[in-house]
Amino acid sequence: MLALTGLRRSFGGFTAVDDCSFTVSEGTITGLIGPNGAGKTTLFNLVAGLLRPEAGSVTFLGEDITALPPHARFRRGLLRTFQIPQEFHRLTVLENLMVAAAAQPGEEIWANWLAGRRVRAREAAVAARAGEVLDFLGLAPLAGTPAGRLSGGQKKLLELGRTMMSEARLVLLDEPAAGVNRTLLREIEDKIERLNRSLGLTFLIIEHDMETVARLCDPVICIAEGRVLVEGDFATVRSHPQVLDAYLGEAGL
Amino acid sequence: MDLLSFVNFYLVPGIVAGAIYALGAIGVTLVFGVLRFAHLAHGDLATFGAFLVLALVGAGMTPWLALPLAMAAAALTAIALHHLFYAHLSRRSAILTVISSLGVALMLRAVVQMIWGVDTESYVSGIDRPQSYLGIRLKDRELWTLLATAGLVVGLLVFLGRTRWGKALRAMSDNPDLAALSGIDKRLTTALTWGLAGLLTAAAGFFLGLNTEVKPLMGWHMLLPVFAAAILGGVGRVEGALLGGLLIGIVEECSVLLLPAQYKSAVAFAVLLVMLSARPSGLLRGKVL
């Protein structure tokens, strides 16, 4: 579904991603692990289009998307979330979800004038869908609140909500477990699994919490110094000597 | 002085001037909210719009048909200016774009002077006598200025609050990366911002010319009160720009009660100074639409 080939990206003299290649198969929850500074977040930004690679290509659903801007990648079904949840502070929770709904006729500027009824019908459908998502997440009482006022955990849930609103095929999750208490973490894991099973959403997840990786992810890809070290199921990757080295090396610092 | 003459001689002219400043300040605030830079060519864009109306009126059109046409032309001009002069600087430091917009201001003024000359013109000749509304004396052109401003502001607020495109604009202003990752096309949103700013600015230029005179430096002189209004109201806030514009207009007119009239235009500068020293974070915090 997603294939990275020979990606490279450096910042000044530091090469964050260096000749990195791997694929993500449809329907999987693929884990991406690696020590701090291994290039995981840079990889996500390269895939989502926030950064352009210096070399290599990104292929999504058989199409080379290396040169596409972020919004065009989103419309093809690629969604990226952030380690620190991002939201539109001054937009309400409901509006935040509505912005994430894909391929709306209102996006075409002329449709606002020429096909007002169609736009309004679609807008109403999006609002209804957003209502359902809020119910699913338990955020319904906060629909009219500016999203900037939500707690950290609620923002995490809102990010999942954006995932559900978009018609995404592949979701890039950046550390869903970071800064979340155990109860909420279980809830988030459970929702990721249900989205994967019932909607067939594919996930690529950066995660440091090894319990979460063990429960959710198969396969797991470990990267270090900007390139793939080992790929396989969690048990294989965890016990691989090079992986142990990479993490112990970091601990040694 | 009784209350009614205060209203008629100070408050009404202040509100009219304030409404014009507000139209300019909303454009400044939109550009700052979405693109994060202070657009110094805004005043001269207003001049350009005012002279476009003048040309169309000179060709025999009524001002009320000429105004929408000139607004549309100014919107297209603003979008073109962005693509010609600002777009390629967008990844560099914002100060480069600000300086570039100063250059654009000088160019626009030169174009106006080249085409229409340096003389002072006006849209209509003759005296516009005020009508009395329950004792409040209002000239027709003042009434039109207030009604048109109200209409444009309400229209803009409905557009930003209710339509999908308005939401896209607010989203882009709030968190540009997240907006792009949510499928919002940055180039289209940017063009939309310039289009709206151009529309409002041309209207500001026209109403300034209608209530005073049409001359090549009119917009440049309006720039200071317009920026003072945008900062006073909180940069990036449309309602703030409206409020700030009205306050600056009223304070300017009322200052004549205490100061010689020549100092009127220094008042906006004083307000700007006080605001920047009392709440300097207002501008830098980069509030959003």
Side-chain angles (χ1 to χ4, degrees):
Chain A
M1 173 175 231
L2 177 75
L4 314 185
T5 323
L7 280 185
R8 193 184 70 221
R9 169 75 200 204
S10 48
F11 300 98
F14 172 67
T15 307
V17 170
D18 190 8
D19 192 23
C20 185
S21 307
F22 64 83
T23 61
V24 175
S25 320
E26 185 145 19
T28 59
I29 301 180
T30 304
L32 191 61
I33 63 167
N36 287 323
K40 303 181 294 293
T41 299
T42 306
L43 264 179
F44 262 30
N45 285 336
L46 289 169
V47 172
L50 288 177
L51 290 174
R52 292 290 161 85
E54 283 146 10
S57 67
V58 181
T59 312
F60 181 58
L61 296 169
E63 183 190 3
D64 186 339
I65 59 166
T66 317
L68 290 182
H71 70 90
R73 298 183 192 207
F74 172 85
R75 289 182 195 177
R76 281 165 177 73
L78 195 71
L79 185 113
R80 183 223 201 285
T81 69
F82 292 86
Q83 177 181 353
I84 298 159
Q86 300 275 311
E87 70 288 325
F88 302 113
H89 299 262
R90 285 176 53 89
L91 271 60
T92 65
V93 170
L94 184 70
E95 284 178 332
N96 263 270
L97 289 180
M98 290 177 72
V99 167
Q104 300 199 1
E107 291 274 302
E108 304 143 31
I109 194 156
W110 302 116
N112 268 328
W113 277 260
L114 299 178
R117 190 172 301 163
R118 189 165 61 96
V119 172
R120 273 196 295 278
R122 165 77 195 180
E123 191 84 351
V126 169
R129 170 82 186 124
E132 288 170 24
V133 170
L134 288 178
D135 284 337
F136 177 79
L137 298 173
L139 291 176
L142 298 166
T145 313
R149 291 210 207 122
L150 296 185
S151 73
Q154 289 166 334
K155 287 179 182 175
K156 287 261 175 192
L157 287 173
L158 182 61
E159 288 227 312
L160 270 186
R162 291 180 47 235
T163 308
M164 294 166 68
M165 286 302 292
S166 73
E167 281 149 34
R169 308 277 302 277
L170 172 63
V171 179
L172 310 175
L173 289 180
D174 198 341
E175 293 204 43
V180 169
N181 68 45
R182 289 285 127 190
T183 328
L184 185 60
L185 177 57
R186 281 303 165 90
E187 201 180 314
I188 287 174
E189 284 175 10
D190 172 59
K191 282 179 172 134
I192 291 171
E193 245 179 344
R194 276 160 67 186
L195 290 171
N196 175 249
R197 292 228 189 90
S198 61
L199 298 176
L201 268 179
T202 309
F203 286 90
L204 177 61
I205 302 182
I206 294 179
E207 191 48 77
H208 280 297
D209 184 315
M210 287 306 142
E211 286 176 36
T212 304
V213 175
R215 276 194 295 267
L216 276 182
C217 302
D218 184 35
V220 173
I221 299 168
C222 177
I223 65 171
E225 289 167 6
R227 64 181 79 203
V228 175
L229 208 57
V230 194
E231 281 180 73
D233 62 35
F234 180 69
T236 317
V237 171
R238 186 181 51 179
S239 54
H240 197 282
Q242 275 185 297
V243 174
L244 293 171
D245 256 9
Y247 275 94
L248 286 175
E250 188 197 23
L253 290 173
Chain B
M1 185 175 58
D2 62 296
L3 183 65
L4 208 54
S5 43
F6 172 74
V7 169
N8 280 331
F9 296 117
Y10 298 97
L11 198 57
V12 166
I15 290 173
V16 172
I20 295 167
Y21 294 158
L23 287 177
I26 292 169
V28 163
T29 241
L30 280 175
V31 171
F32 190 88
V34 177
L35 302 160
R36 297 285 190 272
F37 80 94
H39 186 228
L40 298 182
H42 225 74
D44 290 282
L45 192 60
T47 312
F48 182 67
F51 274 91
L52 279 178
V53 179
L54 189 74
L56 293 171
V57 169
M61 216 178 265
T62 81
W64 303 114
L65 183 59
L67 176 61
L69 285 177
M71 284 167 69
L76 293 178
T77 307
I79 294 170
L81 288 174
H82 168 76
H83 283 287
L84 282 171
F85 301 108
Y86 308 139
H88 66 285
L89 294 172
S90 65
R91 285 182 181 280
R92 315 265 309 262
S93 152
I95 191 67
L96 293 178
T97 322
V98 174
I99 298 299
S100 158
S101 77
L102 184 62
V104 169
L106 297 174
M107 278 193 309
L108 273 175
R109 194 186 314 162
V111 167
V112 166
Q113 289 174 336
M114 217 162 64
I115 301 176
W116 289 287
V118 294
D119 294 336
T120 299
E121 315 262 358
S122 71
Y123 294 115
V124 282
S125 51
I127 296 165
D128 185 4
R129 289 197 180 281
Q131 317 255 1
S132 181
Y133 301 88
L134 302 171
I136 296 170
R137 287 143 57 90
L138 215 53
K139 296 182 184 123
D140 278 353
R141 62 184 186 212
E142 293 174 333
L143 187 65
W144 285 118
T145 305
L146 296 178
L147 289 177
T149 303
L152 286 169
V153 170
V154 169
L156 181 69
L157 288 176
V158 169
F159 176 80
L160 288 176
R162 297 287 170 79
T163 68
R164 170 81 189 151
W165 268 95
K167 277 193 209 91
L169 212 64
R170 285 158 59 215
M172 183 58 85
S173 155
D174 197 320
N175 190 334
D177 276 351
L178 186 60
L181 292 171
S182 305
I184 293 169
D185 187 335
K186 187 172 185 204
R187 281 180 323 167
L188 277 176
T189 334
T190 305
L192 184 65
T193 307
W194 282 110
L196 288 172
L199 286 178
L200 295 166
T201 309
F206 168 73
F207 287 113
L208 183 65
L210 186 66
N211 285 283
T212 60
E213 296 161 323
V214 185
K215 52 188 177 187
L217 280 171
M218 59 191 276
W220 179 249
H221 288 150
M222 187 174 68
L223 200 60
L224 189 61
V226 159
F227 268 89
I231 290 167
L232 182 64
V235 175
R237 304 284 307 272
V238 172
E239 311 91 315
L242 177 66
L243 185 72
L246 290 173
L247 282 174
I248 294 280
I250 293 168
V251 169
E252 268 192 6
E253 288 300 324
C254 293
S255 73
V256 180
L257 288 168
L258 305 169
L259 292 169
Q262 301 94 291
Y263 289 104
K264 197 157 95 173
S265 55
V267 171
F269 192 59
V271 173
L272 186 63
L273 271 180
V274 170
M275 269 312 289
L276 285 178
S277 44
R279 295 194 50 135
S281 57
L283 181 68
L284 299 176
R285 209 182 293 143
K287 287 177 190 154
V288 291
L289 298 179

